[in-house]
Structures are given as C-alpha cells and as structure tokens.
Amino acid sequence: MRRALLALVPTAVAALLLAGCTGAADDAAAGAPPAAASASADERAPGSARAATSVMAEHTVETPHGGGDHRGGEVTVTLRAVEVSGGTMTVRWALRWDDDAAEADAGISYYDMGVQPVTTVTDGTSLRAYRPFCTEGSWQPGDEVGIAERAALQMRCEESMLVSPLEDIFFQFPNHGTVEGWSLLPAPEKRVETVDVLPLEGLPAFTGVEVAYPDGDA
C-alpha cells in the first residue's frame, strides 16, 4: 500500500508556488547531497563534522499512528542544518523513536507513523515552496497532461526523491536509536536568510530557520 498523493499547493496558502524536479538526468547524477553546515557561522565550511550533532531546533511528540501497528512512546525530530550551495539546498534532520514499553529491538516505519518523507521548504517572502529533486516523474506536470497521467507522474516523483531514508514500509527506525536523514532540494531563486522547514510530512514544522551559505554570496 502506497502513501497518498500529496497536494501540490497547501490550502492555507493558495498562492504558493511549488519548485521541484522534472526528472532530468542531471538530477539523478547529483547523488548524495553536499555535506551540511552547522548553525553557527564558524562551522559552515563544507564537510563540517559538527553538522551531524548540531541542533538548530527540535520537536518531541507522541508517536503518531499511521497504517501499521499502533506504537507508543515518543518521536523526536531534530533539524540539523539548511544549507544552500550552488543550485542545491540540503536539509539535514534526524529522527528518534523512544518507547520504553516496546522491545529493545523493536522498530517503527514511516508507514506505522503515517509519515511521508517529503521535505518542504517554504520561502514566505516570495511565496514559494521547494520539494526534493526526483529522478523520475515531476511534482508539476505541464498543463497538457491529463489527470491520470499527472497523478502517475507525481507518484513516480515521490518514489524517486533524493531523500534518505526514503523507503516507507520496510525501513525501521530503531527503538532508542537516532537515524540521520537528508533531503536535496532546488536552491531558492533569490537569497533568503530564513525559511520554514517541514522535514517530514506528518510531523511538526520548524519556522524561521536560518539558512547557511558556505560559499558566501557566490
């Protein structure tokens, strides 16, 4: 059972435009994202090891219940970094599941939580939303595409996003373990200092997040 298709434009902001990938070959060649930078200015050099432990913001919520078995405990999502370099924007985040009542070797999937690994970065100034590159399909098929084909292209895009981890049923977040994740998105069209970040649909968003530019104004 696949996750439901996502709305292209949030209903609360009808004018919001969506930027993403059309499945071009160079997107597939992008591979893993560039190393993210930490939040402080002196740690923004590419490859900074501190990005893996930095905490820009964090939310802890009761474990949501999705389509799988009901799980207890809490889920903590941590925002590590938002970095723009060249034509790409990397969002680094981490997810931890803690349930003292569950077995030590228990795990939980996106499907169990009803969470979708779709990252959305919103620039509220220009009213543009950015989603991950995909190697197939498109977030925004052309107007000439019919309804059925549009849905198929969007599904293919969602299934081929440059996001890790991406698999939504068999990949398990371990009990009392932290999994580091990342998403690779198009860079904003204009330089922005802060954005709103939704690392995973179904979990809380972060607002007013500082964007790091390791390459300066170049």
Side-chain angles (χ1 to χ4, degrees), residues 2-7 116 150-156 158:
R2 298 300 303 168
R3 49 186 180 270
L5 283 173
L6 304 172
Q116 296 170 328
R150 176 182 294 270
L153 288 171
Q154 291 171 352
M155 179 67 78
R156 286 167 56 194
E158 183 182 345

Side-chain angles (χ1 to χ4, degrees), residues 110-156:
Y110 288 132
Y111 179 71
D112 294 328
M113 295 184 287
V115 170
Q116 296 170 328
V118 180
T119 300
T120 302
V121 175
T122 304
D123 173 13
T125 302
S126 63
L127 293 182
R128 290 190 67 86
Y130 299 88
R131 283 185 175 172
F133 288 111
C134 51
T135 60
E136 297 181 13
S138 174
W139 290 117
Q140 291 184 301
D143 294 336
E144 71 280 0
V145 176
I147 296 177
E149 186 177 358
R150 176 182 294 270
L153 288 171
Q154 291 171 352
M155 179 67 78
R156 286 167 56 194

Side-chain angles (χ1 to χ4, degrees), residues 3 5 24 30 36 40 74 77 83 103 146 151 159 165-168 202 218:
R3 49 186 180 270
L5 283 173
S40 60
E74 297 178 329
V77 57
E83 179 185 86
E103 297 293 332
E159 292 175 341
L166 177 61
E167 207 288 318
D168 63 346

Side-chain angles (χ1 to χ4, degrees), residues 2-92:
R2 298 300 303 168
R3 49 186 180 270
L5 283 173
L6 304 172
L8 286 181
V9 182
T11 55
V13 188
L16 196 65
L17 300 177
L18 182 67
C21 172
T22 58
D26 57 342
D27 295 333
S38 63
S40 60
D42 60 349
E43 297 170 4
R44 290 183 182 172
S48 171
R50 296 189 182 183
T53 58
S54 66
V55 179
M56 297 186 71
E58 196 169 73
H59 291 306
T60 298
V61 297
E62 182 178 346
T63 303
H65 181 208
D69 297 334
H70 180 72
R71 308 296 175 92
E74 297 178 329
V75 168
T76 300
V77 57
T78 303
L79 184 63
R80 299 252 188 249
V82 178
E83 179 185 86
V84 172
S85 179
T88 64
M89 174 168 53
T90 304
V91 176
R92 292 190 181 274

